[in-house]
Amino acid sequence: TMVDVLPRYVAHHLPPDQREAPDAPARLGVAISELSDDLHAKAQKDSRYAGANSTLVALVVVGSRALVAHLGDSRAYLYR
């Protein structure tokens, strides 16, 4: 579910023309937080999702800039 809906949340909160804005990192955080809250609410209403949890690492690349966000105990590493 997370993989299917994440692009919509990012596009809504962080449209392509605003991905270089100073508040872009905060907007990405809001998108992921809202997604988490919505999935949790869905689990409360639909027994098929009862007890469901997810972790997430998201990377949005714009030119030479990368925005990284995470949810849960996942993490991203810089590889050189």
Side-chain angles (χ1 to χ4, degrees):
T1 300
M2 185 77 79
V3 173
D4 294 335
V5 298
L6 178 63
R8 285 183 274 159
Y9 280 77
V10 171
H12 173 74
H13 289 285
L14 191 60
D17 65 332
Q18 296 176 16
R19 292 185 179 167
E20 293 192 58
D23 66 342
R27 287 171 171 247
L28 179 59
V30 169
I32 290 173
S33 180
E34 186 176 294
L35 171 58
S36 175
D37 292 345
D38 289 352
L39 290 176
H40 180 73
K42 186 175 187 173
Q44 300 301 314
K45 295 177 184 175
D46 188 336
S47 62
R48 293 177 300 165
Y49 295 98
N53 290 303
S54 186
T55 62
L56 166 78
V57 175
L59 175 71
V60 177
V61 177
V62 181
S64 63
R65 184 177 182 192
L67 303 175
V68 180
H70 71 94
L71 174 68
D73 60 356
S74 296
R75 60 193 140 219
Y77 294 93
L78 176 62
Y79 177 77
R80 294 181 188 188

